[in-house]
Amino acid sequence: MNGRTDIAGILGSLFFASAGAYVFVASLGMSPMAAMFPRTVGAALALLALVQIVTALAPRLRNRERMVPRQDAAGEGSGAAVEADADGQAESRGRRLVLLATMVAWALLFPVVGIFVTSLAACIVLMFTGLFGRISPRRLALYLAVVLAMVIFFHLLMGTVLNIPLPRGLLF
Amino acid sequence: MAVDFGFVLAQAFSPFNLLLAVIGVVLGTVIGALPGLSATMAIAVLVPFTFAMDPASGLIMLGAIYTGAIYGGAYAAILVNTPGTPSAIATTFDGYPMAKRGDGDLAMTLATLASVVGGVVGALSLITLSPLLANIALAFQSSEYFWLAILGLTLIASLSSGNVLKGLIGGAFGLILSMIGVAVIGGDTRFTFGSSALLGGIDIVSALIGLYCIPVLIDLVARPDRHLEPAPLGRGFRLFEAVGLCVGNGVNLLRSSVIGTLVGILPGAGGSIASLVSYSEARRASRNPERFGRGEPGGLLATESANNATVGGGFIPTLVLGIPGTPPDAVILGALLVQGIRTGPELFTQQNGIAYIFMFGLLIATLMMLPIGLFIGRYAYRFIVNTPKALLVPLIAFMTVVGSFAIHSNPHDVVVMVAMGVLGWLLGLAGFGPSPIVLGLVLGQIAEQGFMRAYMIGGARGNFGGQLLFDRPISWAIVALILVTLAFPVLRRLRRSREAGSEVRS
């Protein structure tokens, strides 16, 4: 890992530098009392992010930088293993995207459609997202029953026991 | 106003609160036993359920979840060499070698006993030291609170992640997130991008749930391997053998518990730091330091007593100064704000002794950890090991959604939770951890109020620098601590490079 430029870190720092610069510029249009703190913090954030970018690009310091290795990083292996690993990475990327899309859709749709229906649908999608390999129809039915029971349990707990007004939406 | 301790004890020992303490310890132990699901996440997910309770009961349950989760982290650390929570990282050093050689049952009993001892020392320190510190805290003015918030951010930046600069950037970004909405001083609408939903700012608990839970969910579905591999269990509890070892390591236990409490008091430092510091101290003081790392019970006792002592220790700055001592305290601080409880010195004289009810409740929860840890915890672990990912993922996801919705019954909080989760995941890929961002978000208002009051008072006097720093001895002391905190990693890096250089030469 040593000697490699921390590209992801640099991109992250660019995001933070931009955010700091935006906050600084936006504070120029505020009243003095509301502007002082954002201006100070925005300038500090942009400065720190720029220092981080310079540090990541400086070859002398780059070799010393300790980076936490990710568990899913590709390891060494034969050509076939590398190919299988590439397939695995593509699959895991797909699963991550499905999870993210499900969470975003869940958050946006549940007030409109209803919390019970969206939660049940999202939980079933997520159940399949967390499912690896083939399973028997009996086990699949069991998993679906557990997911249904879980959604009913939390729905009753929140709506009936804790008296939290749950959005019913178009369905329920 | 004097506190009625008869009322406090009656409240703390009420059957309902005792039941909540038991439920909290069980839930905390179960969640803490899962690698990746930290104590912070356990509290973040379960905190909305306490909003329906009265503040004292809710706080007792949160304290019980916290202490149970820190303890539960030891299970996976000992049996599968995977820390259930970051505070159990050092537990793997000797716990797993013990389990590998067939002493896993003894190691788990030792972890339970050490956690109870550490937790009791931390809780007693909380009960005895908090009122004293509350009096001292009255000497703190706005500028000191500003510097305390900065100290918390620098500590978490230097201790929680490998790169101090990235930690500081995360902290500053958290401060900016805290500015969204109506300004605390000045009243301007800031950074809402025209959205009325952002006028109230970003809810701390929603952000916490998203930042800590969504990246865990993403990692869970990314790999096909089991989230835990079960390890064979040996003979019974081996309680008497464990008690004998604890007596033999009495000084080690006490020292580690005190270290845990003190590290817990430092804003930003958590159980992971406390257990690492106490482990290195136990090894340094031991007659057989070479046994550490090969299954030495003393190492396990040191780490587990220290990380549970941080629970009580961490609550001292949380309750006295309103500055979270550890990341889970930050979540509990958010829960306190939702409950309408203002932390600070007046908490100990007002609000019907709620602080004392909570502290005694924490002590009771810690003591209950002994039977629960011995009898229920290990079976809960087996259950978790056998829970397939296909059920675990929707369970956690559903809890994050209903949990963030339950805060204010507002769908907008769920959107914030998911958005913060996605942002936290992306920033995690770039090496920016969630803890500094969260602490910046939590401490943002304290920092801004302190900074702006110093600005206004100093501006009226024509001496802003003096009001903020130069005329304030306490500020000087805190700034000195900040500089030491920032200098420490640099010195450590220099020493390492010097050692590496001398090794190459030899």
Side-chain angles (χ1 to χ4, degrees), chain A residues 81-158:
Chain A
V82 169
E83 204 170 288
D85 198 46
D87 288 346
Q89 282 195 359
E91 190 193 331
S92 81
R93 197 178 302 128
R95 286 175 186 271
R96 285 171 170 154
L97 288 175
V98 168
L99 184 131
L100 285 173
T102 309
M103 294 302 293
V104 171
W106 194 353
L108 293 175
L109 289 178
F110 86 90
V112 183
V113 180
I115 194 162
F116 186 88
V117 173
T118 44
S119 298
L120 187 61
C123 283
I124 290 171
V125 172
L126 292 179
M127 189 202 83
F128 283 107
T129 313
L131 201 59
F132 291 86
R134 293 171 71 92
I135 58 165
S136 66
R138 196 174 162 190
R139 184 167 285 268
L140 184 63
L142 178 72
Y143 283 6
L144 287 169
V146 171
V147 167
L148 179 66
M150 183 183 78
V151 174
I152 291 172
F153 170 76
F154 276 106
H155 198 264
L156 290 175
L157 180 73
M158 306 289 282

Side-chain angles (χ1 to χ4, degrees), chain B residues 251-433:
Chain B
V251 176
N252 177 17
L253 266 178
L254 195 63
R255 181 184 52 232
S256 304
S257 302
V258 171
I259 289 173
T261 306
L262 293 176
V263 173
I265 292 172
L266 291 175
S272 49
I273 306 302
S275 57
L276 287 167
V277 171
S278 62
Y279 183 83
S280 71
E281 274 304 299
R283 186 171 59 181
R284 194 187 57 76
S286 171
R287 287 177 196 161
N288 305 300
E290 73 284 354
R291 289 187 193 165
F292 280 71
R294 297 176 185 173
E296 167 62 34
L300 179 65
L301 289 170
T303 59
E304 278 306 301
S305 54
N307 65 25
N308 267 88
T310 57
V311 176
F315 277 121
I316 294 175
T318 309
L319 298 181
V320 175
L321 302 172
I323 292 175
T326 59
D329 291 325
V331 191
I332 293 177
L333 190 63
L336 283 167
L337 294 174
V338 174
Q339 294 271 23
I341 298 169
R342 257 194 93 78
T343 50
E346 62 271 18
L347 181 65
F348 293 85
T349 52
Q350 297 169 8
Q351 316 229 18
N352 298 323
I354 193 168
Y356 290 94
I357 297 171
F358 167 62
M359 289 189 284
F360 279 104
L362 185 66
L363 186 62
I364 294 162
T366 307
L367 291 171
M368 282 182 173
M369 215 159 58
L370 186 62
I372 291 169
L374 288 175
F375 290 100
I376 303 173
R378 68 170 58 197
Y379 299 110
Y381 170 75
R382 281 185 176 180
F383 168 76
I384 291 160
V385 165
N386 294 318
T387 302
K389 268 187 187 178
L391 296 177
L392 199 63
V393 172
L395 175 67
I396 298 171
F398 194 29
M399 289 181 84
T400 62
V401 171
V402 293
S404 48
F405 174 75
I407 302 165
H408 303 297
S409 300
N410 186 351
H412 166 69
D413 287 333
V414 183
V415 178
V416 167
M417 183 275 291
V418 174
M420 292 304 293
V422 175
L423 182 66
W425 177 63
L426 290 172
L427 292 177
L429 293 177
F432 296 91

Side-chain angles (χ1 to χ4, degrees), chain A residues 6 8 31 33-34 92 95 127, chain B residues 166 188 190 221-222 390 430 452:
Chain A
D6 179 14
S31 71
M33 285 293 115
S92 81
R95 286 175 186 271
M127 189 202 83
Chain B
K166 283 184 176 176
D188 291 37
R190 299 187 299 198
V221 298
M452 288 312 298

Side-chain angles (χ1 to χ4, degrees), chain B residues 176-211:
Chain B
I176 284 176
L177 288 179
S178 77
M179 297 172 199
I180 293 173
V182 178
V184 283
I185 295 177
D188 291 37
T189 303
R190 299 187 299 198
F191 314 121
T192 57
F193 306 102
S195 165
S196 58
L198 286 173
L199 278 174
I202 288 185
D203 184 82
I204 293 169
V205 182
S206 293
L208 282 167
I209 294 175
L211 282 167

